[in-house]
Every structure is written in C-alpha cells, then in structure tokens.
Amino acid sequence: MAQKKKLYALTGKKKYSFNLPLTETIKIGKRHYKIMIKEDEKHGTYILWKNRRYPVEIIQSRQNKFEILFNYVSYSFTIETPFSLKRKRYLDNARGKIETEKIQAPMPGKIIEVLVREGTEISRGEPLLILEAMKMQNEINCPHSGVVTSVNVKNEMNVMKDDVMIEIKIAK
Amino acid sequence: MDIDGKYYRAFKERLEKLDAQSSKEKIRKQHAKGKLTARERLDILLDEGSFEEIDAFVVPDTEGIEFGKVEKNYGDGVITGHGKINNRLVFIYAQDFTVMGGSLGIVHARKIVKTQEMALKMGAPIIALIDSGGARIQEGIASLSGYASIFHNIIRSSGIIPQIAVIMGPAAGGAVYSPALMDFVFMTSYTSYMFVTGPNVVKEVLNEDVSFEELGGAEIHAKKSGVANFIYDDEENTILGLKKFFSYIPSNNVENPPRIEEENKTPGENKKLLEIVPDDPNKAYDVKEVILNIVDKNSFYEASELFAPNIITAFARLDGKTIGIIANQPKVLAGVLDINSSVKGARFIRFCDNYNIPLLTFEDVPGFLPGIDQEHSGIIRHGAKLLYAYSEASVPKITVILRKSYGGAYIVMNSKNLGGDFNYAWPTAEIAVMGPEGAVAILYRKELAETEDPKKLKAKLVKKYRDRIANPFVADEKGFIDEVIDPATTRTKLITAFEALANKWVEVPSRKHGNIPL
Amino acid sequence: MKIKNILIANRGEIAVRIMKTAGKMGISNTVIKTAAEPSAMYLSLADNVFDDTESVSEIPVFLDIDRLIHIANETGADAIHPGYGFLAENPYFAQKCLDNKIIFIGPSPDSIYKMGNKTIARKIALANNIPMASGSKGQIPTEKDAIIVARSIGYPVIIKASSGGGGRGMRIVRKEEDMPKMFRLASNEADKAFSDPSVFIEKYIENPKHIEFQILGDKFGNIIHLGERECSVQRKHQKLLEEAPSSALDSKLRDEMGKIAIKISSAVGYYSAGTVEFLLDSKGSFYFMEMNTRIQVEHPVTELITGTDLIEQQISIAEGKKLKLVQEDIKLAGWAIECRINAEDVQAGFSPAPGKIEQIIMPEGDNIRVDSGVKTGSVIAANFDSMIAKLIVKGKDRKEALKNCKHALDKVWIKGTKTTLPFFRMLIRNERFLNGTITTSFIENELDNYHVNSEYEELLAAWMATWLFVDENLDESNLKIDAEEAKNLSPWLLNKRISRH
C-alpha cells in the first residue's frame, strides 16, 4: 500500500497522526519514547511505557473502529487514511450532519417503562426509558436533544447488551 | 530498433494520450464525491506492480449512433486485466466513472466478456469493481446485448471460479443482476447504490418519495435485502476487506483453500469455553464468543453479518485451514430459524461446498419461528433450502451442539442422518423432539390442571425431563451423536476431525443438477 | 450463649468479612452455594458449604426466609448473620430466627421494624425531639396525595421508600409536573427492591453533607457511638467513597450529634451495630434521616480509626455479652478512606458493567486494607451487586490518608471489566474534594465528567488502536499465503474432483 504513508486515529474532534510503517515509539516534543505491548499470566495484556505498566483491553474492534480501555478509561477511535479522512469530511458536509443517535442497552436487562414515543421531541438529559438490571432500575437518559424516530422496545421486554432500543434524530 | 522511428514514436505517443485521458480535473471530480478512481482502486487492491492491463486502447463503437453522441476515448470506460492479490492470480475489471460515467457500451461489454473467458480458462477468480451509470443509451440495444453476454458468462463460470462484485458507485437497472449472480457482493457505504428501478421511477409510478440511500444504499442491502454480504465505511477499507476475504478462498473449485499457518499456535485447550454458554437454557449469550475462542487468532471473517443476525455465517481458520462456520446466534431472537436465516445459511453452505471449504456448524436452536407471517411467506420452502444445502454438501461437515437442539431444527442443522461426518455435543446440550416446557405441557396436561401448585409441579417435571431426556447422553448412547466432548478441548477435537476428513469424497448419482426448492 | 456455628445468609465480600472474624473467635461458619455463582470466592474460604444449586425455587435463597431457616437447621448452625442487603433489615426474618431458637446476629425484630419503616421512624424521632426535615406524616398512597403534601412542604422534595435503604426507591422532585412520573418510579422501584411500594415525602435539603454515626448497643441498654463517617461522595444516593472522621465536624458537633444518635437508638431499645444517618447543611444544622439496622458496607473506615472489630462486637452482643467498651474508651485515631471499586462504566453514567475478572491484583501494605469477595476468574454477575473490592486506606491525618489512597489506587490492577477506578483517580486530584468541602450533590452538579482525563494516556490509546488496525489489515505477514500447498492435493481427491468436473 504504497500511497498510505500516514494513519490518523480520530476521537471526538481530536486527531492523532502516526507514520507508516508504525513503529514502537511515540514522539512527544522532540523525544521518542519506546512503547510496547506485552502480555503475561499475572497482568494479562498491558502497555509498557516509561517503565510503567498500563492495563489495556480491547472492548470492540470493528473494521476501522476501535474501543480501547486504557488504564481503565475507555477511548473510541476510528482509524483513517488521508483519503478516507477527506471522504469523511466530504460526506459529513453532504449529509448535512443530520445524524441519528442509537440508544443501545448498556447492559442486559428488562424494560420497565418506555417514557417516549415515536415523534417525541426530547432534550438532552431527559429520561427515555427505565431499564432494570442488577436489581436497579436505571433511567436511560437522552444523550442529545432531538426527535425520537423509532422505539424498538416495549414494557416488560428483555434486552441484551448493545440492543438498539431507541433511535433519535439529533437536532442541530 | 530505431527508437526515433515512426512506429516507436507513435507507440509512445499513444501511451502519453492514455495517461492524459485521466486528467487532474476528472480525478478531482471523482475525489470530491468521496470516491477513488478506478486506477487508484486497482493500486490498493493488487500487489505492487502486478497489474497487467488488457485492451487499454480499444475505442468505443461509434458506428451507427444516431441519437446523442459518444466521445472518443481509450478503454471505453472500463479497465480490464489481471494481477495478483497476495501473490495469487486474479482477473479483474474496474469500471471507470470518469469516462462517460462508466456507462456500458458494446465495446466495454466485450472487454469484460474477454476477461471473464480468460478467468474461466485459467481457473482464477474474477473481481468486478462496479461504478457505472448503466447501459449506454446512445448505443441502444447493443449495450443490452452486452449485459446479456456478461450475465451468461457469470452463470457459465458459477461454481467453477469465485466471482466477486464490489459496488463502489451506482449500479442500476439490469446492471444489478451481474453482482446478484456472483458469489459475494461488497458495498461501500454512502457512495454506492443498487436498485432495479431508481427513486425517480418510484416517484413517478407509485408517488413515493425515497432517497438513493434509503432505496438501495449499502446499509439497506446489508440489513434488509441481504444483497450486500460485506459493507464498509469507505473504499480503502472495502478493498482491505476484499483482500482479507481472498485469504480464505481457493482460486477455483479443484484447488483447496490456501493455508495460513499461525506464527504463535493457538492452544488446543481453552477453559474460557466452559463459561460462555449459560446453564440456564433461557439465557442468551453471544455465540461469536464461542467461535472466537476456538478458531485461529485473527481469523474470523463474517459474511452477511447484518442480515438475519440470528444465524452467523463466517469464514475462519482452524490450524491454518479455511472452514465455513454456520452458527445459530442465541443473542438474536434466541437463534431461531426463520426465512431469512435459512436462506442466508443455505447460500453460504453452497458456496463453501463449491469451493472445497469444510463446514463447521455450532448449534443452539430452539426451532423454527412460528407465526402467520412466516408460514404465509413460505418458511416451508425456504427452510427446505437450508435442509437441501446441508444434505447436498459433500465437503467435510461437523456439527457441535452447544445447547438447544429441538425438533425439525435439529434435523436441519446438519444432523447425523443428514450426512454429518462428526456430530459432537457439549455436556450442556439438550437434544429432544421439543423443549422441556413444551413437552411437559403436552404430556402432563391433566396433572398440571389438577394440581394446586402448577408452577412447582411444572418446575419439577421440567427438571425430570432434562435429566431423563433433554440431555446429550441419551443421544450419545443411541449413536445419534458421535461423542459428548469437553468444551475446553473443542479446538483440538475439531482439528483432528477435519484432518481425518481431509480426503473425504462422496459419490453422487450422475445428474444434470438437483432441483433445490428455490 | 456461646455461638458455635454461624450461617452466613449472604455472599461476596461481606460473607468473607464475617468469616474472618468468626474464625478469629473460634466460631465455625456455613455458607450457601447458589446456582447463580457456584464458584464464588467466599465458598472456597468457608468451613461448611451448603449446596443449594439444585433448588427449583423462584426466589433467590438469600431472600427466602423459610429456606434459610431450613438450611440453618440442616447444617446445625445456631446463629445467622445476614450481612447487609437481602434480609438484613427484614423484621420477619429476625423474628423467624427467634422462633426457631436461632440467634439472629443483629438487632431485635422490633427495632428493625420501627426503624425500617420510615414513617414509624419519623414518628419516633418526632416524639423524641430529634431534629428532622419537615415531611409527610405517614405513607403517601397516591400521586394526588403526593402533590398535596409536596405543596404544603414546598419544593424541592424527596420521595423515599418506606422500607428503603441504599438509595433505591428514592427520587428528588423539583417541580410539580414531575411529581406523577417520579412518584410512580419511586414506588415501582421500592416495590421491586423491598416488596413494598409505599413511599413518603420529605423536604429535600439542598447540598448537604452525608454524616452517619456508628452505634453499638448491648442487650442491657448500654449504647455508645464510635464516631462518624462522611459519605458525601455519592451518586443517585449510591455511596462511592466514605471516610472517617469527617472534616466538617469538630469535637463539639461530634458530641452533640453522637448524643442524638444514641438518643434515637435508645428510643427503640436498640442493640447490635447500627448506623444513624444525618444530613448536615452548610450552617451546621443537622437533620435525622434514617437509621440502618445492620452492618454497613463502609464499616471498615470506623474499624480502622477506632481499632474495633464491629463484626466481633455484633457477635458478642448477640451472644448476650455486655459491651466492654464505654463511650470514653472510644478515641478516634488517624483518618481512613474507603473507595468502592465497582464493576461500573463511569463514562456511561456509572451503569453496571458485569463481566469476568481476568486479573486482579490489589495493593498491600500497613496502611491498606482490602475487603473483597472476588479473585482472578470470578464473575461479576448481572444479578448481584457490582462490587469488586473495597480499598480502605489509612493515614495519620486526612492529608496523609489521601496521599496513601492515591498511591494505592495506582497500584490496583483489574482486567476484564470496566471499573470505578477512573472516577477515584479523578476525585483524588479534585481540589474541592481535597479540601473536604464537597456535598452530596457534588458528583451530579459539579463534575463535567466522571473520569480522569490525561492527554498522554489518550495518545497511548490512539497508538494502540492504530497498531490494532495495522495488525489486522495492513500487516502482510498475516496473509502470507502458501498458495502452492493449496494445489497440493492427494491423488485420490484430485482424481475424483477432476473427473467430476
């Protein structure tokens, strides 16, 4: 893949860039620091960086999308090439950034009450439904203001982790 | 040779003209749509410097065109030739949207046909990179005849060489049938579409408003219609996926799939497998976890992931050798068999059977999905496809029953008497004519109606049923399965079994072809 | 009466905790093996294990009074320790033990009933001039009544489950239009959690600190307090971090509150260990909230600064022994902090994150105590609470305790599930927390995110993601294909294949 000299790891609005071939060093300022992925029975997989072990787990890896638990904090990245990044920007513009947010079940459980219907206008932080899991009734709140476009669950229904329960069209 | 001579100079000039044809402006336009050019796509897909173009200089047939006009160009909107993917020969044609919108004229079609014929002679796979506005209207019926020849060739090659379509732009009208006839379809999200009639016609005829994306975008075809087997967010990842796909399949129906040995061998015993399947038969789990803990590391490539997710169809490797996996997915609809999952499974099995890819089935199925909708839509004939495909397949076939295995679904999912070579069961398996709850309700209807505490009696009877009937040991003792195995050592067991089956051959009665219930 | 064998009607870390003290006192223990977690850690440490995995009952055994009594009789246990949660505050359970001549290690059924029913507890507190937030006189039967009562008290109000505890069945209502929904939610949740949908309403005290007093009383009417704990770090009434003592109390206020705590305990003839909870507002006024008639999750911080083993006290009180301690014996020495390391996803609003613990390494040291019921390989199941471990750290003063806590947190190693560690790592660096002025609304109102943010760590994670992408997609060595071998077929097969095609 001769034309791919670089890869970007995108998270939110931040972009980290890495040269190819990818080396086991990270440049901070002018210095290069060694970074290593290791594994042993006692610690599992970890990253060795400046003589310290950091726990690392791959929560999800799907095509070019990764969710990584690094030092107990989860980070989501999409890996882009210079061209795919350009394409992404073009498509984001073309689609006018109307995006739907899928509300997925954070854990397996039972739906106690659905508090919205298709077409409900809802603002950030308002409760969408009550999900019972681990003996607790959890209010699932709306992460963005918008309009409910589809409700895929009913009261008393059991859901699995990551099941899409509700979809919301995000208001700009 | 006189390099300043007339012919050599003409030769050089022609090359320059071909280069100039892909002007910066045209490339920019293509890029601005978020798309790569046909040549860029070939560059990413094929091993460096391996591409050999054929018919680069043919020109469109302009004779007899009485309506509209056809600009003169080299190549007629399609690049054809052969190259290598990971050092293995493939034939390829890539439609070039920058030349007359990649529209298909008779010359364009002839180039494709020529490539198809060569691929078949050489026993090498053929890849179609599709980015075309459709039939070239100016050329009239000639372009339609072009399509027909292409389709005919696809069907002639079907089952002999793998044929893969990659949709990277529009594919509309009759053109959609060329991907539809091929073995697998890749699509790139947001910039590729497939439909028989476009949104304009839908609007005119039915007065329905629908966007390109909603009518025939990648997501729709991946989730709803099942037309697209693999979708990716961008073209580079689509091509990377295609390369990955090729690492699992052989070049033709005589060869075996390639072998890719692991550098660090995955251990044969894995205790994690003891913990995934819950003892409670009503609890769901992700069967992918079972699969990933058995197959070689980094070797799981799922086909039609988003369509009928209650069944999983995937390529994987065991000890470096390709296998095709069919698995009920208890996480979705309890892994039930319905119309879509039956058809999805059947088509995957037939591909594997064609290309000498052994089949591994993981079974945890409560049965067929009941209901008016399913019955009226023909679950009988669609379910039969899965049954047919399993039985017909002559490649090595192994089944591992993880948990539920009831009734008709038990038979369908590659049971012993359907031709399963090795049928294993985990100790958690429940093999019976029906589930305990159902069986108890029928057999003890009277007792349950009369007792004071039916819940308690039912729980007791269900437990008894499980102990006596719905377990793997009864089937084992009667020989309906070959062995109850320790989940932790499933990998070793499977590797050994597939090794023993490597030279399996089944004589089939001579016939033109069977009559699968389509 | 000397106890010989305690049936522990609980699981997880508290089962392990009770075993430790029982062992020290020469008492044997019996635990119950359930189908839900047949390989839990507490089972491997127990003296006797009763196997209940075959049970077909729909009620979990730890909530099944008759079954527990049956198991105690079966196993020859002469006492039952209920731990916390489950049946720990169920008066019928305590009574049933009594009826069956089994010692219930806890207070009398009567005390549990009176304090457990929040409306009765309120009445008792009122009768004894205990300072309290204004609220409804009794249970609120309907949404309409709720609205009427709330109007008379003035918003904001808090709805609480009559038989509640641990934050379940609680809802704050700030405006009237939210009342019907919140009432339903609270009542619903209360019903699920405590099999009792009744709720009552109180004035909601804005931005208070949560201060609770540890009480010990014997069967001879002697009651002392062991100082306070501050549990202001809580989210939706779930405590996350507790410390003892509290930086908000001086010895005068401590005396005053301690006396009130003893007073209300005496009013119900309390014996065993108990906790009296107060809200303390910014002006130094405090309000009685409720009394928990059981051992608390956060009891270790009190143990560390008083040098008392609270479980030991519970047992010896239950045996009918007199308290050896008098109030003057109780000296608070040093500072202790407890972090509840739970399997929760702090970035998703502390939602439970059940999973399997792939590796766990907890720090060790003189100033560190770890109470845990899990080990490598344990499963944090969705049907129980999400506790992985309690990390309890001590220092000579708050500053030193905080420093020790920070170091200890850095040494924790847990793989396999998301945890509350990033929250504590953030908290331990937060100015407001460090100077000890936070209130119970801190997490919800003052924090933008619940985890530590480090640019370097994000960069390292980004590198990891890129590495994975390269490894899966671009690393050609992954796809080193031996194409020749594919063509190398056995003559048997080759011959057959070719002749068919």
Side-chain angles (χ1 to χ4, degrees):
Chain A
M1 305 205 55
Q3 78 276 37
K4 272 195 188 168
K5 295 271 191 294
K6 251 182 191 191
L7 286 177
Y8 302 110
L10 266 61
T11 177
K13 283 185 177 136
K14 271 187 260 171
K15 184 175 86 180
Y16 295 92
S17 112
F18 298 94
N19 289 330
L20 287 178
L22 193 68
T23 56
E24 290 192 322
T25 54
I26 286 187
K27 199 175 160 190
I28 293 177
K30 286 192 173 147
R31 278 193 62 182
H32 286 270
Y33 296 91
K34 190 102 187 123
I35 175 169
M36 277 184 286
I37 301 175
K38 300 215 161 201
E39 193 179 344
D40 63 40
E41 184 89 358
K42 194 177 162 200
H43 298 93
T45 312
Y46 60 90
I47 278 184
L48 194 63
W49 162 260
K50 290 189 182 175
N51 289 322
R52 218 193 117 177
R53 282 194 200 95
Y54 292 87
V56 59
E57 287 174 64
I58 304 153
I59 306 267
Q60 236 183 15
S61 121
R62 202 186 152 75
Q63 296 187 4
N64 62 335
K65 296 176 186 67
F66 296 89
E67 187 189 348
I68 288 176
L69 196 65
F70 183 88
N71 209 9
Y72 310 109
V73 177
S74 115
Y75 301 91
S76 297
F77 297 99
T78 60
I79 307 297
E80 307 282 351
T81 64
F83 179 76
S84 71
L85 188 64
K86 247 175 32 196
R87 172 186 152 94
K88 201 175 147 80
R89 295 223 173 103
Y90 159 76
L91 289 172
D92 282 350
N93 285 336
R95 274 177 291 154
K97 297 213 167 108
I98 299 172
E99 277 187 43
T100 49
E101 169 99 26
K102 293 184 173 127
I103 312 295
Q104 291 174 306
M107 62 213 124
K110 193 165 116 191
I111 306 291
I112 299 301
E113 193 176 2
V114 182
L115 304 166
V116 294
R117 278 186 303 179
E118 231 170 83
T120 308
E121 272 187 47
I122 186 150
S123 43
R124 199 185 151 190
E126 278 184 50
L128 294 167
L129 52 81
I130 315 289
L131 174 68
E132 187 181 76
M134 289 179 126
K135 297 200 297 180
M136 277 289 290
Q137 298 201 349
N138 300 277
E139 250 178 44
I140 306 292
N141 294 330
C142 188
H144 297 281
S145 301
V147 178
V148 176
T149 52
S150 96
V151 178
N152 308 331
V153 290
K154 285 191 293 235
N155 293 355
E156 299 292 300
M157 193 169 138
N158 287 310
V159 289
M160 289 292 292
K161 186 177 181 333
D162 292 338
D163 280 356
V164 176
M165 303 184 293
I166 284 175
E167 289 176 46
I168 288 160
K169 191 165 130 190
I170 297 167
K172 273 171 278 182
Chain B
M1 192 170 71
D2 178 6
I3 55 162
D4 287 325
K6 186 174 141 200
Y7 292 114
Y8 193 76
R9 222 171 46 228
F11 165 72
K12 281 295 208 191
E13 273 167 16
R14 249 170 36 127
L15 282 179
E16 279 160 24
K17 268 191 201 159
L18 181 64
D19 263 356
Q21 190 172 298
S22 38
S23 70
K24 276 197 179 142
E25 176 55 23
K26 281 181 174 167
I27 295 172
R28 198 195 56 75
K29 260 193 179 160
Q30 181 83 347
H31 282 186
K33 287 182 211 147
K35 287 157 67 174
L36 293 163
T37 65
R39 284 195 194 277
E40 286 170 330
R41 289 168 185 160
L42 292 173
D43 263 359
I44 303 174
L45 175 60
L46 300 171
D47 296 353
E48 215 174 324
S50 73
F51 183 58
E52 291 293 327
E53 191 170 350
I54 305 166
D55 288 343
F57 289 98
V58 298
V59 292
D61 187 8
T62 47
E63 226 169 273
I65 285 190
E66 286 166 9
F67 190 80
K69 103 177 199 272
V70 171
E71 53 181 289
K72 185 170 180 226
N73 66 73
Y74 286 135
D76 201 18
V78 63
I79 300 166
T80 57
H82 61 83
K84 290 194 165 175
I85 294 177
N86 291 314
N87 217 16
R88 293 196 305 158
L89 178 69
V90 294
F91 283 81
I92 192 159
Y93 62 91
Q95 291 176 314
D96 186 348
F97 200 80
T98 65
V99 178
M100 287 185 294
S103 64
L104 186 134
I106 188 69
V107 172
H108 180 125
R110 269 187 214 130
K111 281 178 75 173
I112 293 175
V113 167
K114 189 167 171 187
T115 316
Q116 289 177 311
E117 282 167 356
M118 289 180 85
L120 182 58
K121 278 187 264 183
M122 258 50 87
I126 184 161
I127 299 167
L129 300 180
I130 291 173
D131 188 1
S132 158
R136 193 175 295 155
I137 302 163
Q138 301 91 311
E139 294 191 25
I141 198 91
S143 91
L144 293 185
S145 78
Y147 273 123
S149 322
I150 294 169
F151 298 162
H152 192 56
N153 264 313
I154 294 173
I155 296 154
R156 265 170 53 82
S157 305
S158 180
I160 303 170
I161 50 168
Q163 306 182 81
I164 313 301
V166 187
I167 321 295
M168 295 188 134
V176 294
Y177 286 111
S178 101
L181 292 166
M182 293 186 165
D183 296 304
F184 284 100
V185 176
F186 285 68
M187 281 183 92
T188 305
S189 295
Y190 316 120
T191 43
S192 71
Y193 312 103
M194 288 173 84
F195 35 71
V196 175
T197 41
N200 295 337
V201 181
V202 173
K203 172 86 188 159
E204 255 170 54
V205 178
L206 298 164
N207 203 25
E208 284 174 353
D209 277 309
V210 65
S211 70
F212 282 77
E213 190 70 35
E214 286 164 343
L215 185 64
E219 197 161 319
I220 289 296
H221 284 312
K223 281 187 185 162
K224 284 216 166 133
S225 73
V227 168
N229 305 101
F230 304 94
I231 64 164
Y232 288 89
D233 267 356
D234 63 77
E235 295 193 1
E236 282 156 297
N237 276 308
T238 310
I239 294 171
L240 287 175
L242 180 65
K243 285 175 94 158
K244 221 186 251 180
F245 168 79
F246 266 97
S247 73
Y248 290 96
I249 61 163
S251 295
N252 54 54
N253 69 342
V254 177
E255 276 182 23
N256 274 347
R259 184 166 183 190
I260 302 178
E261 276 191 75
E262 292 183 286
E263 273 175 40
N264 304 312
K265 293 241 178 204
T266 304
E269 193 177 332
N270 185 346
K271 292 253 189 255
K272 266 191 199 160
L273 288 165
L274 295 168
E275 289 161 14
I276 301 169
V277 178
D279 286 329
D280 180 350
N282 299 321
K283 269 196 188 151
Y285 62 94
D286 188 350
V287 74
K288 262 184 227 180
E289 262 190 78
V290 174
I291 300 170
L292 292 176
N293 277 296
I294 289 174
V295 301
D296 292 1
K297 202 175 157 265
N298 246 349
S299 90
F300 178 77
Y301 193 61
E302 193 172 348
S304 306
E305 183 184 356
L306 305 173
F307 180 69
N310 40 339
I311 202 165
I312 284 178
T313 53
F315 297 103
R317 275 186 281 270
L318 261 182
D319 195 29
K321 293 176 197 154
T322 301
I323 50 168
I325 293 178
I326 301 98
N328 308 114
Q329 172 60 292
K331 202 177 100 165
V332 184
L333 293 168
V336 75
L337 283 174
D338 57 6
I339 291 175
N340 284 348
S341 63
S342 300
V343 174
K344 169 178 163 181
R347 183 150 170 83
F348 182 78
I349 290 167
R350 297 191 97 215
F351 176 85
C352 291
D353 188 38
N354 263 327
Y355 295 104
N356 313 316
I357 297 171
L359 292 167
L360 174 57
T361 303
F362 290 105
E363 180 175 352
D364 184 349
V365 59
F368 280 97
L369 183 63
I372 297 170
D373 175 53
Q374 288 285 313
E375 295 290 351
H376 288 190
S377 308
I379 181 76
I380 295 176
R381 74 199 163 80
H382 295 292
K385 290 178 189 174
L386 184 60
L387 180 60
Y388 191 105
Y390 259 125
S391 172
E392 174 195 45
S394 61
V395 289
K397 293 182 285 191
I398 297 180
T399 301
V400 182
I401 301 174
L402 303 177
R403 200 171 55 174
K404 291 190 210 104
S405 175
Y406 295 139
Y410 156 78
I411 304 170
V412 170
M413 294 299 288
N414 193 34
S415 59
K416 190 79 199 163
N417 297 73
L418 209 55
D421 292 305
F422 289 113
N423 290 50
Y424 299 124
W426 281 10
T428 38
E430 294 180 4
I431 307 166
V433 175
M434 64 196 304
E437 276 81 8
V440 166
I442 292 173
L443 299 175
Y444 291 90
R445 182 173 301 156
K446 208 169 138 221
E447 287 84 343
L448 283 168
E450 284 165 3
T451 180
E452 272 174 30
D453 190 350
K455 255 189 182 170
K456 201 166 171 188
L457 179 66
K458 194 170 180 190
K460 220 166 128 188
L461 289 168
V462 162
K463 193 169 175 301
K464 194 169 154 194
Y465 184 86
R466 277 219 172 85
D467 290 346
R468 299 268 170 86
I469 294 173
N471 61 50
F473 308 110
V474 179
D476 193 20
E477 280 153 26
K478 293 192 173 157
F480 294 123
I481 55 169
D482 295 294
E483 196 182 342
V484 180
I485 59 170
D486 180 357
T489 58
T490 304
R491 178 177 161 88
T492 313
K493 204 87 208 170
L494 291 173
I495 290 174
T496 319
F498 276 124
E499 220 170 76
L501 296 171
N503 282 343
K504 178 188 174 191
W505 185 258
V506 184
E507 292 298 341
V508 229
S510 169
R511 63 180 157 197
K512 216 166 157 187
H513 56 69
N515 189 11
I516 186 165
L518 288 176
Chain C
M1 198 181 89
K2 178 87 180 103
I3 293 170
K4 291 182 208 73
N5 180 4
I6 299 177
L7 172 67
I8 300 172
N10 216 305
R11 54 172 290 282
E13 70 91 17
I14 194 63
V16 176
R17 168 72 191 85
I18 295 163
M19 275 177 223
K20 272 187 191 155
T21 293
K24 199 173 72 180
M25 297 173 77
I27 301 170
S28 67
N29 63 65
T30 302
V31 297
I32 303 165
K33 179 171 170 175
T34 64
E37 40 172 17
S39 50
M41 180 188 177
Y42 71 90
L43 300 169
S44 59
L45 301 170
D47 296 332
N48 315 301
V49 177
F50 181 85
D51 189 339
D52 194 52
T53 51
E54 295 280 298
S55 162
V56 291
S57 167
E58 281 176 29
I59 317 167
V61 63
F62 299 127
L63 288 172
D64 190 336
I65 295 177
D66 291 338
R67 188 143 184 84
L68 287 169
I69 300 289
H70 167 78
I71 293 171
N73 287 331
E74 262 318 86
T75 57
D78 48 4
I80 291 181
H81 197 305
Y84 50 69
F86 298 118
L87 294 172
E89 290 173 282
N90 186 310
Y92 308 106
F93 182 46
Q95 185 61 47
K96 204 71 183 242
C97 288
L98 230 71
D99 297 347
N100 285 275
K101 311 259 178 306
I102 297 164
I103 297 173
F104 178 78
I105 303 176
S108 67
D110 182 61
S111 311
I112 300 178
Y113 175 72
K114 284 178 176 156
M115 281 304 166
N117 187 309
K118 303 302 175 211
T119 47
I120 297 176
R122 278 190 69 88
K123 277 181 196 148
I124 294 170
L126 268 175
N128 286 277
N129 290 322
I130 306 287
M132 226 177 353
S134 49
S136 62
K137 293 228 163 53
Q139 293 168 6
I140 310 273
T142 68
E143 293 167 24
K144 267 191 191 146
D145 300 303
I147 288 173
I148 294 164
V149 171
R151 269 190 201 151
S152 74
I153 307 175
Y155 288 93
V157 298
I158 183 162
I159 311 172
K160 291 183 180 177
S162 292
S163 10
R168 280 185 220 145
M170 272 194 209
R171 286 288 187 286
I172 297 162
V173 191
R174 296 190 178 278
K175 44 187 200 293
E176 195 165 302
E177 55 263 42
D178 293 344
M179 182 55 95
K181 190 181 92 191
M182 292 304 194
F183 183 87
R184 261 202 326 277
L185 284 177
S187 174
N188 234 328
E189 200 171 299
D191 194 18
K192 294 260 169 189
F194 316 107
S195 315
D196 174 8
S198 68
V199 294
F200 67 101
I201 289 178
E202 257 179 22
K203 173 82 187 164
Y204 179 63
I205 313 275
E206 296 270 10
N207 300 331
K209 274 178 171 288
H210 177 115
I211 306 288
E212 59 185 33
F213 272 74
Q214 178 67 52
I215 295 298
L216 276 179
D218 62 18
K219 292 179 179 173
F220 306 95
N222 303 308
I223 301 184
I224 59 168
H225 75 81
L226 284 82
E228 79 283 8
R229 295 185 285 259
E230 176 171 347
C231 320
S232 298
V233 181
Q234 46 176 269
R235 188 187 160 275
K236 299 204 167 158
H237 309 286
Q238 297 283 340
K239 296 164 188 168
L240 288 158
L241 177 144
E242 302 94 348
E243 51 186 307
S246 162
S247 43
L249 268 62
D250 53 19
S251 57
K252 189 170 153 270
L253 187 55
R254 179 169 301 124
D255 264 5
E256 197 185 333
M257 291 176 82
K259 276 182 188 139
I260 297 283
I262 291 172
K263 192 172 170 189
I264 185 129
S265 310
S266 303
V268 291
Y270 197 86
Y271 58 81
S272 192
T275 299
V276 180
E277 295 191 338
F278 296 100
L279 294 178
L280 176 68
D281 71 15
S282 53
K283 294 178 207 96
S285 308
F286 58 91
Y287 307 90
F288 167 69
M289 199 165 36
E290 62 182 39
M291 181 165 187
N292 294 321
T293 57
R294 56 170 151 93
I295 192 80
Q296 302 265 104
V297 177
E298 60 271 26
H299 74 275
V301 288
T302 299
E303 293 188 327
L304 284 193
I305 63 160
T306 58
T308 321
D309 180 336
L310 290 169
I311 304 283
E312 185 182 348
Q313 294 294 332
Q314 275 192 310
I315 295 173
S316 85
I317 292 165
E319 285 178 329
K321 289 187 191 142
K322 249 190 179 153
L323 259 185
K324 284 193 187 120
L325 297 162
V326 293
Q327 191 63 54
E328 289 68 37
D329 293 339
I330 306 300
K331 300 273 181 295
L332 308 185
W335 207 284
I337 297 174
E338 175 185 271
C339 300
R340 295 193 193 186
I341 300 171
N342 296 340
E344 283 167 18
D345 185 347
V346 289
Q347 288 162 285
F350 289 85
S351 66
K356 188 180 154 206
I357 305 296
E358 303 283 355
Q359 279 89 22
I360 178 167
I361 306 168
M362 294 300 288
E364 289 167 25
D366 290 343
N367 293 315
I368 296 170
R369 164 173 164 185
V370 174
D371 281 15
S372 172
V374 304
K375 55 182 184 214
T376 293
S378 292
V379 174
I380 307 293
N383 37 355
F384 293 118
D385 65 50
S386 56
M387 169 92 67
I388 299 174
K390 301 187 299 197
L391 176 66
I392 309 120
V393 180
K394 201 186 163 185
K396 65 176 192 300
D397 52 22
R398 190 165 190 265
K399 202 173 155 199
E400 195 186 271
L402 288 168
K403 195 183 86 189
N404 292 344
C405 184
K406 190 171 167 187
H407 288 311
L409 282 168
D410 278 344
K411 289 198 187 108
V412 175
W413 186 274
I414 298 172
K415 296 282 297 284
T417 163
K418 292 181 181 177
T419 70
T420 43
L421 278 167
F423 169 75
F424 294 117
R425 287 171 58 223
M426 176 277 300
L427 190 69
I428 208 85
R429 289 166 175 80
N430 179 286
E431 270 307 306
R432 286 268 282 126
F433 172 68
L434 290 177
N435 66 31
T437 57
I438 67 156
T439 67
T440 54
S441 59
F442 171 71
I443 293 181
E444 273 133 307
N445 293 353
E446 294 180 45
L447 293 179
D448 291 333
N449 64 44
Y450 302 144
H451 61 91
V452 69
N453 273 318
S454 155
E455 225 170 276
Y456 284 141
E457 293 188 4
E458 188 170 84
L459 170 64
L460 298 186
W463 178 86
M464 177 81 191
T466 312
W467 184 88
L468 285 170
F469 179 80
V470 170
D471 185 51
E472 275 174 30
N473 293 295
L474 304 182
D475 197 351
E476 306 278 344
S477 68
N478 270 349
L479 301 176
K480 270 283 167 279
I481 289 173
D482 190 347
E484 288 313 304
E485 199 196 289
K487 294 170 192 157
N488 198 0
L489 295 177
S490 86
W492 158 260
L493 200 54
L494 186 64
N495 194 20
K496 301 265 187 192
R497 271 189 199 162
I498 290 172
S499 63
R500 182 186 289 178
H501 297 303

